[in-house]
Amino acid sequence: MRKITNIKLPEAYNSEDENDLYSLLLDENGIIISINKSSKKESSYDEDWSGDWLSPRAIDLQINGGLGISFTDLSFNKIPKLLKLLDQLWLDGVEGICPTFVTCPLDQFQLGMKVLKETRKHKSINRCRLLGAHMEGPFLSKSYFGAHELKNISKPSISDLNERINEFENDIALMTLAPELNGSDEVITRLRELNIVVSLGHSSADFDSAINAFNNGVRMITHTFNAMKGLHHRAIGPIGAAIKRDDVFLGLIADGFHVHPDMIRLLKKIAPQQIVLVSDALSAYGLGDGSFDWDNRLITVEKGLCRLSNQTIAGTTLPLLEACKKIAKWIEDPSAAIWMATISPRMVLSQKKITAKSFLIGKNIKCLLRWKINSCNHDLSWQFAA
């Protein structure tokens, strides 16, 4: 048996209460068998973490590719490179991803889904898992198409949806669409029947149409503030509509370019339990700065920010946990930042509110993360927990 004391668990709210310290009991294989509040009677033989946090690895709900491959341009001969990407993501602290398909032709999407299904057979305990896919499109607003190719965007319809996801209904976790478009209500209903999370994104929705979408079952906003109407004092739009509720999550790219750090700080103050960090990483993830192919287009990466030739922001190459470290400093709340990257995305996928504790019991500590704050510069850092 191994006992670790004075551990913090990530929470959405900042807490300086010294009573929020826990002790872990692990069996001989490193499996956590209990988590209890720390006691002042702890033994001197126990392992003292001095207030460091313990968390699961991250889950990335929106990642488009990496190491030169894009999920919208997969083929079976790219499986070895895809496995290499998953191995790299594991080293980067990510346990699972929702491989994201930006708007693309039907045959391209279905081939990609077949490749992902085959890739899932190559399991390893030290490899990031392929979770259900994230379909970002094709039912998007042509007024807010962003980096998507306009020619591939289509009007929402049950027939189009069924044709696209045929035989892959159980392999999709999340779909982004513009809920204000005619036909979206029926599509949302069908997606909810399939237990697929629906997210508002690339949308011209105003406050009222967003409220209607949330009432119909939409449970997330994709890359909040980007490719949608923003917050205005007389027209608060879809973000204001989401903040009015407590059952809609706010996907957020925290690289400091997609959303200003001060706006992120404000969002944390008004919606602390709704933020979900996503990377929105593109095929250039892990390759550094430079120019790279993305599908049939060229992207330029500078300081981790990806742009198309017309300067449209297309995504980022910043690892998710690097973004977590940035946001911890901006919002001055490391516990909440850890929660946004590790617990919040799990709540999106499970579609219920769960505490960090429930994700740790029964897990091997080797698969978890330990976080600490530098007392001099207040930087957050992480390492493998074992």
Side-chain angles (χ1 to χ4, degrees), residues 203-217:
S203 165
S204 61
D206 58 14
F207 177 85
D208 291 334
S209 55
I211 286 290
N212 179 68
F214 300 145
N215 288 338
N216 286 343

Side-chain angles (χ1 to χ4, degrees), residues 83-147:
L83 292 173
K84 185 177 179 181
L85 171 60
L86 295 175
D87 291 339
Q88 181 61 55
L89 286 165
W90 180 264
L91 294 176
D92 290 341
V94 181
E95 179 181 319
I97 62 170
C98 290
T100 302
F101 289 80
V102 297
T103 304
C104 62
L106 174 64
D107 58 347
Q108 206 169 315
F109 169 74
Q110 293 188 332
L111 175 58
M113 291 296 291
K114 291 175 183 176
V115 172
L116 292 178
K117 184 170 284 193
E118 180 63 28
T119 305
R120 288 188 182 96
K121 298 177 183 178
H122 300 268
K123 295 179 180 179
S124 169
I125 59 172
N126 296 320
R127 175 172 290 155
C128 177
R129 293 187 295 126
L130 285 169
L131 307 175
H134 177 175
M135 295 175 63
E136 190 180 351
F139 308 139
L140 308 178
S141 168
K142 292 186 177 181
S143 299
Y144 289 88
F145 64 92

Side-chain angles (χ1 to χ4, degrees), residues 86-340:
L86 295 175
D87 291 339
Q88 181 61 55
L89 286 165
W90 180 264
L91 294 176
D92 290 341
V94 181
E95 179 181 319
I97 62 170
C98 290
T100 302
F101 289 80
V102 297
T103 304
C104 62
L106 174 64
D107 58 347
Q108 206 169 315
F109 169 74
Q110 293 188 332
L111 175 58
M113 291 296 291
K114 291 175 183 176
V115 172
L116 292 178
K117 184 170 284 193
E118 180 63 28
T119 305
R120 288 188 182 96
K121 298 177 183 178
H122 300 268
K123 295 179 180 179
S124 169
I125 59 172
N126 296 320
R127 175 172 290 155
C128 177
R129 293 187 295 126
L130 285 169
L131 307 175
H134 177 175
M135 295 175 63
E136 190 180 351
F139 308 139
L140 308 178
S141 168
K142 292 186 177 181
S143 299
Y144 289 88
F145 64 92
H148 291 242
E149 289 196 277
L150 194 57
K151 65 181 181 180
N152 293 323
I153 291 174
S154 60
K155 295 179 180 179
S157 73
I158 291 294
S159 59
D160 191 329
L161 175 70
N162 288 339
E163 182 182 17
R164 190 166 291 265
I165 68 173
N166 182 40
E167 298 183 9
F168 304 112
E169 292 89 346
N170 296 324
D171 300 316
I172 299 166
L174 180 65
M175 183 174 188
T176 294
L177 51 71
E180 75 281 2
L181 300 176
N182 290 334
S184 284
D185 286 352
E186 293 80 5
V187 169
I188 292 168
T189 298
R190 177 58 179 153
L191 291 170
R192 298 306 303 127
E193 290 172 352
L194 294 170
N195 204 36
I196 295 171
V197 178
V198 188
S199 186
L200 179 155
H202 291 276
S203 165
S204 61
D206 58 14
F207 177 85
D208 291 334
S209 55
I211 286 290
N212 179 68
F214 300 145
N215 288 338
N216 286 343
V218 173
R219 287 294 172 264
M220 185 173 162
I221 289 185
T222 296
H223 45 52
T224 303
F225 291 109
N226 298 113
M228 65 189 62
K229 295 180 178 179
L231 283 168
H232 185 275
H233 60 287
R234 284 192 295 269
I236 62 176
I239 302 168
I243 292 169
K244 188 176 180 180
R245 306 171 63 107
D246 63 0
D247 60 347
V248 178
F249 286 90
L250 302 167
L252 184 68
I253 306 169
D255 60 353
F257 297 103
H258 282 77
V259 183
H260 193 281
D262 285 329
M263 181 57 83
I264 293 176
R265 188 178 297 114
L266 174 62
L267 193 65
K268 163 62 170 58
K269 288 182 180 294
I270 58 180
Q273 291 187 298
Q274 295 173 253
I275 301 173
V276 184
L277 293 190
V278 299
S279 71
D280 199 27
L282 297 188
S283 56
Y285 178 92
L287 300 180
D289 288 355
S291 295
F292 306 94
D293 290 327
W294 180 46
D295 300 336
N296 60 345
R297 294 172 286 176
L298 189 71
I299 54 170
T300 301
V301 182
E302 184 176 353
K303 296 181 179 179
L305 183 67
C306 305
R307 293 184 184 272
L308 297 174
S309 58
N310 63 3
Q311 295 303 301
T312 296
I313 294 178
T316 180
T317 61
L318 186 71
L320 186 61
L321 294 189
E322 289 302 305
C324 181
K325 289 157 61 175
K326 284 178 177 286
I327 200 173
K329 205 155 192 174
W330 295 334
I331 66 175
E332 299 177 339
D333 188 348
S335 182
I338 299 167
W339 185 88
M340 293 172 191

Side-chain angles (χ1 to χ4, degrees), residues 48-82:
D48 189 344
W49 274 24
S50 303
D52 289 351
W53 288 269
L54 178 70
S55 81
R57 289 171 180 255
I59 297 289
D60 197 346
L61 301 181
Q62 187 174 5
I63 175 171
N64 306 281
L67 299 185
I69 62 171
S70 171
F71 295 127
T72 53
D73 190 29
L74 288 177
S75 56
F76 287 99
N77 62 2
K78 292 182 180 179
I79 288 179
K81 200 161 191 177
L82 177 52

